[in-house]
């Protein structure tokens, strides 16, 4: 059984009205997904599947941490994740009009693969900016960044736009 097979659920075979699934996500999950940007993490995902007339309502709750690159020092850091997402699934003819929260699964197969949805929900929960807590960044890198940004800002302060320089010369001439 491959790592991702356990994320495939048979919607047609669901007997009870509400079904709970629990998954512990680790590095093997990210390695099994080819092309995944995330490679490391430890998360717990709870999936609640409610069977209704004509559709299934899935609620995903994710808690844990993933390893991302710090935007300042470029070292790896643990990013806490906590998120809730919802997905509506119906059985029928697969169409291209599916959106982010509503999908159609072929009625012939009736199998829904949750692995990419879980991955996408994790990726969407990562903040745009990831920075270590104050004082936790790589000191060598932050010192170099500070040194280079200070040098660049002093160069910019000394540089005068040539248009302003021409206006200053006109002003000096008019005062003479």
């Amino acid at each position: 059984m491959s790592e991702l097979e356990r994320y495939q659920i048979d919607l047609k075979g669901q007997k009870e009205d509400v079904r709970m699934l629990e998954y512990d996500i680790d590095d093997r999950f990210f390695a099994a997904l080819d092309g995944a940007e995330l490679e490391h993490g430890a998360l717990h995902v709870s999936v609640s599947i409610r069977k209704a007339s004509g559709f299934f309502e899935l609620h995903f709750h994710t808690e844990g941490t993933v390893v991302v690159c710090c935007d300042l020092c470029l070292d790896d850091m643990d990013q806490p994740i906590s998120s809730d997402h919802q997905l509506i699934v119906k059985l029928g003819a697969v169409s291209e009009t599916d959106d982010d929260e509503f999908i159609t699964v072929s009625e012939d197969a009736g199998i829904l693969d949750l692995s990419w949805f879980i991955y996408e929900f994790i990726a969407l929960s990562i903040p745009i900016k990831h920075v270590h807590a104050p004082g936790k960044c790589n000191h060598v890198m932050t010192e170099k960044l500070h040194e280079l940004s200070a040098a660049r800002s002093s160069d910019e302060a000394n540089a005068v736009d040539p248009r302003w320089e021409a206006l200053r010369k006109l002003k000096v001439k008019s005062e003479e």
Side-chain angles (χ1 to χ4, degrees):
M1 180 167 144
S2 79
E3 176 65 26
L4 299 180
E5 283 182 27
R6 65 189 192 115
Y7 299 100
Q8 295 180 0
I9 57 172
D10 182 11
L11 294 176
K12 289 187 345 183
Q14 182 165 330
K15 303 275 190 265
E16 60 267 355
D17 289 339
V18 177
R19 179 178 171 195
M20 291 296 297
L21 301 172
E22 304 284 330
Y23 298 107
D24 288 316
I25 306 290
D26 58 13
D27 296 351
R28 291 176 299 173
F29 173 80
F30 297 114
L33 290 172
D34 292 334
E37 292 179 24
L38 297 171
E39 295 178 358
H40 304 288
L43 301 119
H44 181 78
V45 179
S46 302
V47 182
S48 166
I49 305 169
R50 186 176 72 83
K51 183 178 181 178
S53 61
F55 66 94
F56 297 87
E57 187 176 24
L58 286 76
H59 292 277
F60 296 79
H61 177 73
T62 307
E63 293 273 343
T65 60
V66 292
V67 177
V68 295
C69 180
C70 176
D71 291 339
L72 289 179
C73 70
L74 305 179
D75 281 354
D76 285 344
M77 63 174 274
D78 289 336
Q79 178 66 56
I81 299 290
S82 178
S83 69
D84 291 296
H85 292 89
Q86 178 178 332
L87 187 65
I88 306 294
V89 180
K90 76 171 190 168
L91 296 174
V94 178
S95 67
E96 297 298 321
T97 59
D98 294 343
D99 63 18
D100 293 340
E101 293 182 2
F102 178 80
I103 63 165
T104 306
V105 173
S106 168
E107 194 163 6
D108 295 336
I111 303 293
L112 177 65
D113 185 359
L114 297 179
S115 59
W116 271 107
F117 292 107
I118 291 172
Y119 175 80
E120 292 286 325
F121 294 150
I122 292 169
L124 288 171
S125 301
I126 298 172
I128 292 173
K129 185 176 182 180
H130 359 89
V131 180
H132 282 106
K136 300 288 184 185
C137 273
N138 181 329
H139 295 294
V140 174
M141 184 63 88
T142 53
E143 287 173 10
K144 189 67 171 174
L145 180 64
H146 181 71
E147 173 187 318
L148 292 173
S149 65
R152 186 179 74 201
S153 64
S154 66
D155 289 345
E156 290 173 359
N158 293 335
V160 177
D161 188 335
R163 295 171 290 184
W164 293 112
E165 184 62 29
L167 286 173
R168 188 186 67 74
K169 288 179 183 176
L170 285 174
K171 181 180 175 187
V172 169
K173 274 188 177 180
S174 68
E175 290 175 355
E176 292 175 350

